[in-house]
C-alpha cells in the first residue's frame, strides 16, 4: 500500500475494495492493514470505499460551512454528559491525558453525530440532534452515511 508523509510519520493509504469481495484471504489482508494502521500510526487514508465523489464533496462543503459559523451557532448542539455527540470547540478536549497525567488542549473542533442503523435501531438510542445552521448539514451528512 502507498503512504503519505505527515509529521515525519507515514500515514498508510489503504484500499478497502477487496474487503467487499468474496476472497476471504483478501478480506483478511484488508483487516490486517487497518489493524496495523490503528495500532502503529493511529490514522489511515481509506480509498476504494465506493462513496461517490459528489457525495463526499457535498458533505465536505456542509461541514466546512458549519465550522465557519460563529461559535455561538455551533454551540446550538453541544456535547454534554447526557448527549455524548454534538459540538466540541477548540481546547475542549485533551487527548494526551489518555497517555499522560497532564496535557495540552487539542487545537481542533468536532461535531459528532450518531445516525444508528436504518433498521432495528435500539429503542433506547438517543435520536440525533442537528443544528439549525447550515441547513445543508443534515441532508449532506445523512446522504454520506
Amino acid at each position: 500500500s502507498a503512504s503519505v508523509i505527515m509529521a515525519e510519520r507515514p500515514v498508510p493509504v489503504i484500499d478497502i475494495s477487496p474487503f467487499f469481495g468474496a476472497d476471504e484471504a483478501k478480506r483478511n489482508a484488508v483487516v490486517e492493514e487497518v489493524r496495523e494502521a490503528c495500532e502503529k500510526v493511529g490514522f489511515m487514508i481509506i480509498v476504494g470505499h465506493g462513496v461517490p465523489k459528489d457525495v463526499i464533496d457535498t458533505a465536505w462543503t456542509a461541514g466546512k460551512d458549519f465550522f465557519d459559523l460563529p461559535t455561538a451557532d455551533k454551540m446550538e448542539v453541544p456535547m454534554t454528559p447526557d448527549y455524548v455527540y454534538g459540538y466540541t470547540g477548540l481546547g475542549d478536549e485533551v487527548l494526551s491525558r489518555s497517555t499522560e497525567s497532564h496535557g495540552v488542549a487539542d487545537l481542533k473542533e468536532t461535531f459528532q453525530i450518531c445516525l444508528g442503523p436504518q433498521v432495528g435501531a435500539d429503542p433506547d438510542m438517543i435520536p440525533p440532534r442537528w443544528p439549525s445552521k447550515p441547513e445543508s448539514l443534515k441532508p449532506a451528512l445523512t446522504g454520506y452515511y
Side-chain angles (χ1 to χ4, degrees), residues 61-96:
T61 299
K64 183 178 181 325
D65 291 347
F66 173 78
F67 288 108
D68 284 346
L69 291 170
T71 301
D73 290 337
K74 293 182 279 194
M75 288 299 297
E76 181 181 358
V77 180
M79 184 181 291
T80 63
D82 69 324
Y83 186 69
V84 298
Y85 309 107
Y87 175 75
T88 59
L90 290 172
D92 288 349
E93 296 181 316
V94 181
L95 176 61
S96 63

Side-chain angles (χ1 to χ4, degrees), residues 21 53 58 62 87:
K53 184 172 179 352
T58 299
Y87 175 75

Side-chain angles (χ1 to χ4, degrees), residues 22-119:
D23 186 321
E24 186 174 353
K26 289 180 180 178
R27 290 169 54 101
N28 289 338
V30 171
V31 170
E32 179 60 24
E33 282 187 86
V34 170
R35 183 196 61 75
E36 186 170 321
C38 291
E39 289 179 356
K40 295 186 177 177
V41 180
F43 298 94
M44 70 196 89
I45 298 170
I46 299 291
V47 297
H49 44 66
V51 179
K53 184 172 179 352
D54 65 315
V55 172
I56 294 169
D57 292 346
T58 299
W60 181 267
T61 299
K64 183 178 181 325
D65 291 347
F66 173 78
F67 288 108
D68 284 346
L69 291 170
T71 301
D73 290 337
K74 293 182 279 194
M75 288 299 297
E76 181 181 358
V77 180
M79 184 181 291
T80 63
D82 69 324
Y83 186 69
V84 298
Y85 309 107
Y87 175 75
T88 59
L90 290 172
D92 288 349
E93 296 181 316
V94 181
L95 176 61
S96 63
R97 283 193 187 141
S98 64
T99 58
E100 329 174 347
S101 61
H102 64 284
V104 177
D106 295 341
L107 297 178
K108 67 171 174 55
E109 296 176 281
T110 64
F111 180 77
Q112 299 179 45
I113 195 80
C114 179
L115 298 178
Q118 299 294 320
V119 177

